[in-house]
Amino acid sequence: MLLSILLTTAMVVSTSNAQTLTGQYDCIKGAGNYDLCQNLWGKSSGVGSQSSTLISASGDNISWSTNWTWANNENSVKSYANVESTTAKGVKLSDIKTAPTTWVWDHTTQSDGIRADVAYDIWTGVQSVGAPASANSSYEFMIWLAKLGGIQPVGSRIASNVQVAGYNWEIWRGPNTNWQVISFFTTDLIKNFQVDLTDFFDYLIANQSVSSSQYLQSIQAGTEPFTGSANLVTSQYSVSITT
Ligand SMILES: *[C@@H]1O[C@H](CO)[C@@H](O)[C@H](O)[C@H]1NC(C)=O
Ligand SMILES: *[C@@H]1O[C@H](CO)[C@@H](O)[C@H](O)[C@H]1NC(C)=O
Ligand SMILES: *[C@@H]1O[C@H](CO)[C@@H](O)[C@H](O)[C@H]1NC(C)=O
Ligand SMILES: *[C@@H]1O[C@H](CO)[C@@H](O)[C@H](O)[C@H]1NC(C)=O
């Protein structure tokens, strides 16, 4: 998330395939090894609507879509519909041997002048357990796969032409509430992403003074819409860790 609104409640609805969420904080818990949540935390800054649909889930694989349309306050995030792994967490960064992830997505519809990102949100802290954007959060690492319209990460650009996992990134860094946000940012559109997240963790430890004894608390993947409309379809997503 780009701004600091803490979410502590989520409505749990029963799990079944091709189920569509429409409410502000609706979630499908335990879709494979994921929770899929609408998380319309910034909806009051705009006018619009959004729904998220679970297409299929099996183990570490999940497919879902998020269809949104938002107007007003073009610099305010309206939501972060995301999937959060229920298994890839609770481990020290230094104990993670591999963290393979795949994310294949597309906007099957997209309005002109859309403002949105498609990004991972990865949370770490000194405790093994921590909800995203909570008092237990030390860091929020974002990996942007899309930057559509004139939007940018939290903080300021502190490095350019950083090669990690075969891609060229800008690094942005700044504070948010009680944690630091470090973002891997690109203006490229990456619609088929297959990397090992340990390449990112290694860079953060070696080059951004992140302690390797930080615990991975959460890996989320989703979209932050500001304004416009789009239907984001993730045909394939997976993330896991080995120790
Ligand atoms: C997940 O997807 C991969 C790649 O398509 C496949 O090889 C694997 O069997 C799938 N796993 C499950 C649990 O569905
Ligand atoms: C997305 O939502 C809009 C408006 O709510 C609707 O007209 C459209 O058919 C939806 N698109 C898809 C692909 O579900
Ligand atoms: C913060 O960490 C403590 C100790 O591990 C845990 O009991 C608590 O549930 C965590 N709080 C949140 C909001 O994640
Ligand atoms: C990280 O720091 C090391 C040691 O200073 C340096 O050799 C390396 O090039 C840096 N990596 C990146 C991607 O900037």
Side-chain angles (χ1 to χ4, degrees), residues 43-64:
K43 104 182 245 203
S44 64
S45 67
V47 172
S49 65
Q50 179 173 326
S51 64
S52 297
T53 300
L54 174 63
I55 299 168
S56 65
S58 170
D60 288 328
N61 297 333
I62 187 166
S63 170
W64 81 98

